[in-house]
Amino acid sequence: WAVQQVLLIAALSCLAVLAGASAGVGRGCPPLPAACVLAALNTAPIAAAVAALHLTMSDNCPVAPGRPCDTPSILADVVGLTSARLARLDLGVCLLLAARGEAAVLHATGGHLGYSEAQPLHRAAGWWCAGQSALHSLAYFFFYLRAGGAASLWQACFPAPLPDGSLNRLGLVNFMGVVAIAV
């Protein structure tokens, strides 16, 4: 988790460069549309993860004993994990763009991206966050159903009691995601 946090902070630190590129600041470059920058930021990692699927091992397999994960299950796990990280990144971008006052990301564009210009980007990042969250939910719904069947889906997505009588914390957390995707 510590490595993931460092990588997430590093990616968010690159936001100033992306914002500057979208405004065309520096070296007389023509501005890139910010929507294209956000689209690339949200599609390239998933495409790279899917392309490198044969190099990836799933940490979640096997879900059910005696049932190994097949390629579609591993694909769903990789897409689910990548989309969760991208949703967190998009949420950070969304919140940074909504910042009032002396936000460093707004100053990195040389004054070309003020608060009023950042609002459409804020909305777009919010929609990307919602879309990545939905993709994450659907990918793991498919993963649990495919890798372990209906019993695995029930145990992973609902706070059903475990065989030893303890509370299923994974199911409790994932149930909040089920409620969120339903709403």
Side-chain angles (χ1 to χ4, degrees), residues 19-156:
S22 70
V25 175
R27 297 188 182 164
C29 298
L32 295 172
C36 293
V37 173
L38 276 174
L41 186 68
N42 279 283
T43 55
I46 291 177
V50 169
L53 185 64
H54 65 284
L55 302 173
T56 307
M57 285 300 295
S58 173
D59 292 337
N60 294 321
C61 287
V63 173
R67 291 184 76 176
C69 284
D70 55 355
T71 303
S73 297
I74 295 172
L75 175 66
D77 187 35
V78 166
V79 169
L81 182 66
T82 306
S83 61
R85 290 178 179 163
L86 288 171
R88 284 186 290 183
L89 178 70
D90 288 326
L91 180 62
V93 170
C94 182
L95 294 175
L96 280 174
L97 289 172
R100 290 184 179 260
E102 301 296 319
V105 73
L106 300 180
H107 287 289
T109 64
H112 294 287
L113 185 66
Y115 181 73
S116 61
E117 292 85 5
Q119 288 309 298
L121 291 176
H122 161 77
R123 278 191 229 97
W127 279 111
W128 274 107
C129 179
Q132 293 291 0
S133 297
L135 180 61
H136 169 77
S137 295
L138 293 174
Y140 273 108
F141 182 83
F142 175 77
F143 170 77
Y144 287 124
L145 189 61
R146 175 118 179 141
S152 172
L153 179 67
W154 177 261
Q155 188 174 12

Side-chain angles (χ1 to χ4, degrees), residues 1-32:
W1 173 244
V3 173
Q4 290 177 9
Q5 285 181 327
V6 169
L7 292 175
L8 186 62
I9 291 170
L12 284 174
S13 300
C14 293
L15 180 62
V17 175
L18 292 173
S22 70
V25 175
R27 297 188 182 164
C29 298
L32 295 172

